[in-house]
Amino acid sequence: MAATSELSASLEDYLEAIYHLVKEKQAARVKDIAERLHVKAASVTGALRALSERELVNYTPYEIVTFTRSGEAAALDVVRRHSALKDFFVKILLVDEASADSAACAMEHSVTRPLLERFVHFTQFVEDCPRAGTKWVRGFSYYCDHDSKQDNCEKCMRTNLDEVIQKKANKGAQAMTEQQLGSLKPGQKAKIVRVALADAASRRLVEMGMTVGTMVEVIKVAPLGDPVEIKLRGYHLSVRKKEAEGIYVEQAML
Amino acid sequence: MDKAITIALAGNPNAGKSTVFNNMTGARQHVGNYPGVTVERKEGGCTHNGFDVKVVDLPGTYSLTAYSIEEVIARKFLIEEQPDVVVDIIDASNLERNLYLTVQLIELGVPLVLAFNMSDVAAAQGHQFDLEKLSALLGVPIIPTTGHKNKGTAELLDAAIEVAQQTKGTNPEMVRYGQEIEQAIANVVDKLEKSNKLSYSRNRWIALKLLEGDDDVASRHLSAELRPVVEQQITEVEHKLDEALPTATASHRYGLISGVCTQCVRSTIERRHSISDAIDLVATNRFLGIPVFMGLMYLVFWLTFTVGAPLMDLLDGSFGWLAGVVDGWWAPGAESALRSLLVDGIIGGVGGVVIFLPNILLLFLAIAILEDSGYMARAAFIMDRLMHKIGLHGKSFIPMLIGFGCSVPAIMATRTLDNRRDRLVTMMVVPLMSCGARLPIYALIIPAFFPGAWHAPLLWIIYVIGIVLAILSAKLLRSTVLKGESVPFLMELPPYRMPTLKGIFIHMWGRGWLYLKKAGTIILGISILLWVMTSYPKKTEFQRDYDAEIAALQTSATTELQEEGLAEIENARMAETLSYTVAGRIGHALEPVIKPMGFDWRIGTAMIGAFAAKEVFVAQMGIVFSVGEADEDSDDLRDKLKDNYTPLIGFAIMMFSLISAPCMATIAITKRESNSWMWALFQLAGLTVLAWVVTTLIYQVGLLFGLGVV
Ligand SMILES: Nc1nc2c(ncn2[C@@H]2O[C@H](COP(=O)(O)OP(=O)(O)O)[C@@H](O)[C@H]2O)c(=O)[nH]1
Ligand SMILES: [Mg+2]
Ligand SMILES: [Zn+2]
Ligand SMILES: [Zn+2]
């Protein structure tokens, strides 16, 4: 992004801070920004003026700060760089969060895009590859703590293989626990894992709060067998089984 | 110097909107319909702090998508009529779902105040709210209220007036939809900005709605040039997200809501089984649910018709007395068109409608209790399976049941149906549920033609035919004129609540008054028309010289014979008079049309009178058969019928009375409730045609099997 490449490291930090404040509190105020970055309010106003000149934020004194569209994109870009780096530090290098954060904050301004991609991919790769994984990373931690010693490599390989096999079997089992909302029995609780509603009318289910991740409980089935009474988000809703067909749930493990 | 302000009340159904509305406006309210649609529009007013406040109650909705007619209306009102401030009534005990509408109102950019209603319930459930923080996060003032105790109303009005005077709105861009959707929105906004001069946030909203596939917005803003852009964006985003756009945006809104709620709501106690759950253990129980429902319905009937009967008699008596008083203004026996108009036309006609008022008030009392307590939703829950088979909604059951009593209150009871299409279908078929006024006809005819053992089964068959026809007609309507995707049965089962006296009274009286006022005016007109039709033109030259006959009788016979003979002559004169009137002529003219059903002009004439009220049929038959004052117990009339017609014709008469053109009160109320003459006339014509077809079929098939000859 053209605008971003011209930005100084400090301005990028401001964008980042504003982004987080908007996310947390819906609005960014000068006072909050100053607090977050440990700088004086006067420096904040200066920076905001610079950002507003570049049309990245809307800023007039004494009002809350909001992003322009390009501003939001720029901020998102910084935030993404930050979190990619932090992910790598925490997940792969097993550095504690606070130091990871400050290191990421320092590096995010200079890291090039291709290099950043590499960081992201490597983190992903380590997590996914059966030969690496979290166990392997923990081995790295052991290695760091014990003067670069590698014990029990055969055993490690063997258990790893077992885990790969298990994981495969489990994935199959997991797919089987996914079921339709209407097939739950009274008293059963489940979490919505997938919403596949074809026609516009039944999308209303989502508007009533049946979003992915929501916990639902079937309270009872009507005396004639349909509809069913479902409790979600603290209230009771009646739905016809047929109309809830596109809602897939996974039963909560007790 | 009063400044005028318009407040629109929005909110989920059951959040206490009507209660807050009543608190704000007191008795100053006006109930009507939104133009062209069958959605109730309530308006009221008050003065507060020197402001002339007009309050409009928007239809209760869960969302502002253009999904149901109610939502379209609410949104249209907000966009087009631009109220000075919108008060969103929130059920605080059900915060997350209620905030969904709030978020959409914020996105719409209307000046907004939140009323945190049901705060007492929420507190009892152990929820604590950081209202200051919530208000800051949402950027809207929040006023806690307790509707049924009338708490917080003044503060709410204060806040509403304050917001109404500010120019600053909310932050319509509060919800962020994630990179992919945001990018798509930005692309569409770019295009929109080139073609219109709306503000950025307005265009953002339009873009979002276009991407969500909102038909209503598309019809206004989706130009031919824009269409491919929007379509391409939708395919792209849906492919990337692997999710339909409307569900994705809804999830984002709920995401924001969950985030806000975790920051502002603390639940102190684990919610245990409430009283409400305990009631439901019985009320919607697998085995007890249906018996309890039936029992309650019986209670409603009993209250309406049994408790109402003495009151009805009382009113009937008063109208009789009134008629007597007016009659007394003229010398006995004097011929006066004015007297006849007043006594027979107006007092008789309007009185015939007004005497239903006790029934209607009692019925609405029962419905108001069922509705406000939360049982109505359970009834729909229990009956939905059955009603869904006919293409209707669980809530249609109650109006249809009430239809066995009388179609008029039944049609008014369709107001509990939220969906316009369901409501219209229900209205159209309700008259097929054989109402109480048709009972006199059956009571007259069945014993006239059929042996005692047949009486009960025949009555039962007639009722069943009505029900079957109602089901078939509903299905037919659902797949033709009132076609459309069936509405998902998403109904909240609110916790049971103790209804308030004030709420019930306003409910009951509001609807009762409507019945009196509107139906009264139309019915007055039709009564006069029917009176004219059955009175004019006056016959002056008779076939027999009645006066001479009377004179001859008075000189010759004994007193006893005199009386009998006189009555016979008077009746013969009346029959001849009636035959000469417009109604009589129509009866004659109709003969070719009604012949296939086995009817002659006499039945035709009586049917026209029956349009005033079904039970009038019996009296009219009495007149045409010259047996004088006839009621359903009249054996004279039965003999005459037996002499003139076959049992098959008797059955045909009952069929036709069951199905055909419901009484004028029904048509008038259908006009009122559907807000269109079109539907009222459709009902009139449709049922009459149906009656003709069915009756003709029965009669002709009967003839084929030799049933016509006795
Ligand atoms: N406990 C409690 N009940 C309320 C409150 N406000 C309204 N109600 C009751 O809630 C029920 C539904 O209210 P109503 O105004 O008809 O809801 P509407 O559907 O939004 O119009 C009625 O029985 C009211 O008496 C409140 O603040 N607390
Ligand atoms: Mg209401
Ligand atoms: Zn950073
Ligand atoms: Zn009736």
Side-chain angles (χ1 to χ4, degrees):
Chain A
M1 206 151 277
T4 325
S5 59
E6 294 162 15
L7 284 178
S8 70
S10 137
L11 284 187
E12 283 194 345
D13 280 339
Y14 276 103
L15 280 180
E16 195 179 9
I18 296 167
Y19 181 90
H20 288 296
L21 283 169
V22 169
K23 194 134 203 210
E24 280 162 26
K25 304 191 173 175
Q26 311 301 324
R29 289 184 181 74
V30 171
K31 191 179 83 161
D32 298 330
I33 300 172
E35 217 164 78
R36 194 178 180 99
L37 293 174
H38 307 293
V39 293
K40 287 203 194 71
S43 345
V44 178
T45 18
L48 286 176
R49 220 164 272 134
L51 287 173
S52 135
E53 264 163 34
R54 285 162 209 252
E55 291 184 8
L56 294 173
V57 298
N58 304 311
Y59 170 67
T60 28
Y62 311 112
E63 281 206 15
I64 53 170
V65 182
T66 54
F67 281 123
T68 63
R69 264 171 297 151
S70 53
E72 185 169 10
L76 248 171
D77 193 53
V78 185
V79 171
R80 255 207 325 276
R81 277 181 272 151
H82 181 109
S83 67
L85 289 167
K86 183 182 164 189
D87 256 18
F88 180 80
F89 298 150
V90 172
K91 289 183 179 161
I92 310 296
L93 301 185
L94 302 175
V95 181
D96 69 280
E97 295 236 355
S99 5
D101 256 329
S102 58
C105 240
M107 287 170 71
E108 70 199 7
H109 311 295
S110 49
V111 67
T112 63
R113 193 164 293 274
L115 188 57
L116 191 77
E117 297 286 288
R118 282 284 158 137
F119 272 116
V120 173
H121 282 134
F122 187 71
T123 312
Q124 196 70 47
F125 173 72
V126 170
E127 281 182 341
D128 290 349
C129 174
R131 286 170 61 193
T134 39
K135 269 265 175 67
W136 180 73
V137 176
R138 248 183 278 137
F140 170 60
S141 156
Y142 183 87
Y143 179 85
C144 292
D145 294 348
H146 294 84
D147 306 322
S148 311
K149 262 203 303 209
Q150 271 177 289
D151 299 332
N152 260 339
C153 280
E154 295 92 344
K155 194 183 159 218
C156 167
M157 290 292 273
R158 208 167 294 130
T159 44
N160 250 18
L161 185 63
D162 288 347
E163 258 166 38
V164 170
I165 294 164
Q166 182 116 41
K167 218 175 179 176
K168 262 204 180 137
N170 259 350
K171 259 216 177 110
Q174 235 172 28
M176 272 170 61
T177 57
E178 183 182 299
Q179 62 186 113
Q180 284 185 334
L181 177 61
S183 67
L184 290 177
K185 303 217 161 33
Q188 287 184 331
K189 285 185 191 161
K191 191 163 93 181
I192 296 176
V193 290
R194 196 153 64 84
V195 176
L197 297 165
D199 63 311
S202 31
R203 290 196 185 127
R204 157 125 312 202
L205 285 167
V206 180
E207 294 199 300
M208 297 297 280
M210 292 211 184
T211 55
V212 170
T214 310
M215 286 299 295
V216 289
E217 180 185 350
V218 172
I219 303 291
K220 67 171 62 165
V221 179
L224 297 175
D226 200 33
V228 285
E229 179 181 353
I230 286 164
K231 189 173 166 185
L232 77 154
R233 293 182 190 270
Y235 78 101
H236 295 244
L237 182 70
S238 143
V239 264
R240 292 183 183 139
K241 283 179 184 168
K242 181 95 180 41
E243 284 158 2
E245 248 175 9
I247 305 271
Y248 293 88
V249 296
E250 236 168 53
Q251 273 197 54
M253 293 300 168
L254 298 172
Chain B
M1 71 137 269
D2 277 3
K3 287 154 281 181
I5 273 184
T6 306
I7 299 180
L9 288 189
N12 283 193
N14 266 308
K17 229 155 48 67
S18 303
T19 313
V20 173
F21 178 81
N22 293 338
N23 289 345
M24 281 182 164
T25 61
R28 273 178 62 186
Q29 49 178 274
H30 165 82
V31 184
N33 273 320
Y34 283 90
V37 288
T38 320
V39 176
E40 200 170 88
R41 172 174 178 154
K42 272 201 295 185
E43 262 183 48
C46 66
T47 40
H48 189 80
N49 296 349
F51 282 88
D52 215 358
V53 181
K54 183 170 113 179
V55 189
V56 180
D57 196 10
L58 296 178
T61 60
Y62 293 112
S63 158
L64 276 188
T65 40
Y67 161 79
S68 67
I69 184 84
E70 289 76 15
E71 292 176 7
V72 175
I73 286 167
R75 206 166 78 180
K76 217 163 132 184
F77 183 89
L78 293 175
I79 295 175
E80 285 174 8
E81 302 201 22
Q82 302 210 335
D84 299 301
V85 56
V86 177
V87 173
D88 179 12
I89 314 288
I90 281 185
D91 174 356
S93 66
N94 189 352
L95 191 56
E96 289 192 21
R97 203 208 55 219
N98 274 263
L99 282 179
Y100 190 77
L101 178 69
T102 312
V103 167
Q104 290 192 315
L105 286 169
I106 292 174
E107 287 192 291
L108 199 53
V110 293
L112 194 63
V113 175
L114 298 192
F116 240 58
N117 199 36
M118 310 259 178
S119 352
D120 54 327
V121 185
Q125 286 178 356
H127 299 306
Q128 287 177 355
F129 305 102
D130 185 345
L131 287 188
E132 216 165 292
K133 192 165 181 186
L134 187 62
S135 168
L137 289 182
L138 295 175
V140 236
I142 301 178
I143 310 295
T145 59
T146 311
H148 67 311
K149 298 231 171 87
N150 199 356
K151 273 195 216 152
T153 311
E155 291 85 343
L156 189 60
L157 280 167
D158 288 342
I161 289 173
E162 200 186 317
V163 169
Q165 287 173 298
Q166 290 167 357
T167 44
K168 221 177 85 197
T170 50
N171 171 21
E173 292 154 51
M174 190 163 74
V175 189
R176 292 274 143 189
Y177 290 95
Q179 223 194 337
E180 284 80 11
I181 300 179
E182 286 294 340
Q183 191 56 53
I185 293 175
N187 292 345
V188 176
V189 169
D190 271 350
K191 287 276 179 304
L192 280 170
E193 277 176 347
K194 286 195 188 103
S195 62
N196 68 29
K197 291 193 173 51
L198 298 172
S199 68
Y200 169 69
S201 37
R202 180 103 243 122
N203 270 332
R204 181 185 155 86
W205 184 81
I206 293 170
L208 182 63
K209 291 293 141 189
L210 289 177
L211 289 169
E212 284 179 347
D214 186 305
D215 293 335
D216 187 51
V217 173
S219 69
R220 285 151 207 264
H221 299 283
L222 193 58
S223 58
E225 183 191 353
L226 197 57
R227 184 178 295 275
V229 179
V230 172
E231 275 166 8
Q232 191 211 342
Q233 294 294 331
I234 292 177
T235 355
E236 254 174 46
V237 173
E238 291 193 344
H239 178 76
K240 271 190 215 152
L241 297 177
D242 193 23
E243 193 179 6
L245 251 165
T247 48
T249 50
S251 299
H252 276 282
R253 289 188 196 114
Y254 268 110
L256 176 96
I257 292 166
S258 303
V260 168
C261 286
T262 42
Q263 287 188 61
C264 306
V265 185
R266 270 203 317 142
S267 297
T268 46
I269 44 170
E270 171 78 18
R271 209 182 134 212
R272 324 219 76 221
H273 269 288
S274 59
I275 301 171
S276 189
D277 294 332
I279 298 175
D280 261 346
L281 235 42
V282 177
T284 56
N285 180 282
R286 223 173 169 158
F287 306 105
L288 294 176
I290 291 178
V292 166
F293 172 68
M294 292 297 171
L296 280 172
M297 285 307 110
Y298 179 77
L299 218 66
V300 172
F301 256 89
W302 177 81
L303 187 69
T304 309
F305 296 104
T306 314
V307 175
L311 292 167
M312 208 171 159
D313 289 343
L314 201 72
L315 271 179
D316 200 15
S318 335
F319 275 101
W321 170 81
L322 185 65
V325 168
V326 174
D327 205 32
W329 297 344
W330 281 271
E335 273 297 318
S336 162
L338 182 62
R339 179 183 66 177
S340 170
L341 172 66
L342 284 177
V343 176
D344 303 332
I346 295 177
I347 298 179
V350 173
V353 172
V354 172
I355 55 166
F356 285 116
L357 190 65
N359 297 13
I360 287 185
L361 287 181
L362 284 168
L363 177 80
F364 282 130
L365 172 72
I367 290 187
I369 294 173
L370 290 183
E371 228 181 354
D372 286 4
S373 66
Y375 183 78
M376 204 61 112
R378 270 74 182 182
F381 178 69
I382 290 171
M383 295 316 297
D384 184 66
R385 179 86 190 259
L386 211 65
M387 300 310 289
H388 186 47
K389 289 227 157 86
I390 327 175
L392 286 177
H393 187 280
K395 282 187 187 166
S396 306
F397 191 81
I398 285 155
M400 303 208 16
L401 202 69
I402 293 167
F404 284 127
C406 179
S407 308
V408 172
I411 287 172
M412 293 180 82
T414 59
R415 291 196 165 211
T416 54
L417 283 157
D418 308 315
N419 177 267
R420 180 179 150 273
R421 237 183 259 120
D422 286 340
R423 201 178 157 204
L424 279 172
V425 176
T426 313
M427 249 184 240
M428 291 299 121
V429 304
V430 149
L432 286 167
M433 316 308 280
S434 186
C435 77
R438 284 170 240 194
L439 206 54
I441 304 180
Y442 311 145
L444 169 74
I445 289 179
I446 294 179
F449 294 103
F450 302 96
W454 287 35
H455 291 182
L458 260 178
L459 198 60
W460 184 81
I461 285 175
I462 287 168
Y463 274 81
V464 169
I465 290 177
I467 296 168
V468 170
L469 283 173
I471 291 173
L472 293 179
S473 317
K475 277 210 126 152
L476 186 73
L477 287 174
R478 218 57 182 88
S479 50
T480 53
V481 246
L482 288 165
K483 187 157 58 184
E485 77 236 57
S486 104
V487 186
F489 183 73
L490 276 175
M491 190 187 58
E492 190 186 350
L493 295 168
Y496 288 100
R497 292 199 186 96
M498 201 62 190
T500 60
L501 268 179
K502 188 181 166 195
I504 287 176
F505 178 78
I506 289 179
H507 225 118
M508 181 172 102
W509 182 245
R511 289 172 180 183
W513 175 239
L514 215 69
Y515 171 78
L516 268 189
K517 202 173 71 180
K518 288 291 168 84
T521 47
I522 297 169
I523 281 159
L524 180 65
I526 301 181
S527 299
I528 294 173
L529 189 71
L530 273 174
W531 171 80
V532 170
M533 282 172 68
T534 49
S535 318
Y536 289 95
K538 281 261 181 281
K539 189 157 194 176
T540 43
E541 313 236 317
F542 292 94
Q543 282 160 7
R544 283 156 63 182
D545 189 348
Y546 295 106
D547 289 335
E549 280 180 39
I550 291 171
L553 196 72
Q554 273 167 342
T555 52
S556 65
T558 62
T559 332
E560 210 171 290
L561 272 177
Q562 253 186 35
E563 248 170 46
E564 223 168 82
L566 273 179
E568 196 271 327
I569 293 168
E570 279 301 334
N571 285 326
R573 171 155 47 190
M574 265 161 80
E576 210 185 318
T577 313
L578 183 64
S579 154
Y580 192 72
T581 62
V582 177
R585 286 161 196 228
I586 293 177
H588 278 290
L590 279 179
E591 234 177 10
V593 184
I594 58 180
K595 193 105 207 149
M597 298 188 285
F599 297 174
D600 58 12
W601 76 270
R602 288 174 294 203
I603 299 177
T605 307
M607 290 283 178
I608 292 170
F611 182 59
K614 290 272 175 185
E615 55 268 54
V616 172
F617 178 84
V618 175
Q620 295 257 326
M621 285 301 269
I623 295 174
V624 288
F625 277 109
S626 318
V627 292
E629 288 274 297
D631 60 25
E632 66 270 24
D633 291 328
S634 166
D635 283 327
D636 278 355
L637 183 53
R638 285 197 186 122
D639 289 340
K640 290 266 187 188
L641 288 174
K642 210 171 174 166
D643 294 342
N644 282 281
Y645 306 115
T646 64
L648 183 60
I649 295 178
F651 189 72
I653 292 175
M654 292 194 289
M655 269 304 99
F656 193 80
S657 314
L658 166 69
I659 310 167
S660 73
C663 61
M664 63 172 180
T666 305
I667 299 295
I669 211 74
T670 300
K671 148 75 181 75
R672 220 226 84 71
E673 294 295 302
S674 69
N675 206 10
S676 112
W677 273 113
M678 204 267 283
W679 285 112
L681 294 177
F682 176 76
Q683 183 181 51
L684 178 66
L687 288 172
T688 307
V689 169
L690 181 69
W692 188 85
V693 171
V694 172
T695 312
T696 304
L697 217 68
I698 289 176
Y699 183 68
Q700 296 300 334
V701 171
L703 280 185
L704 272 184
F705 283 93
L707 289 176
V709 276
V710 171

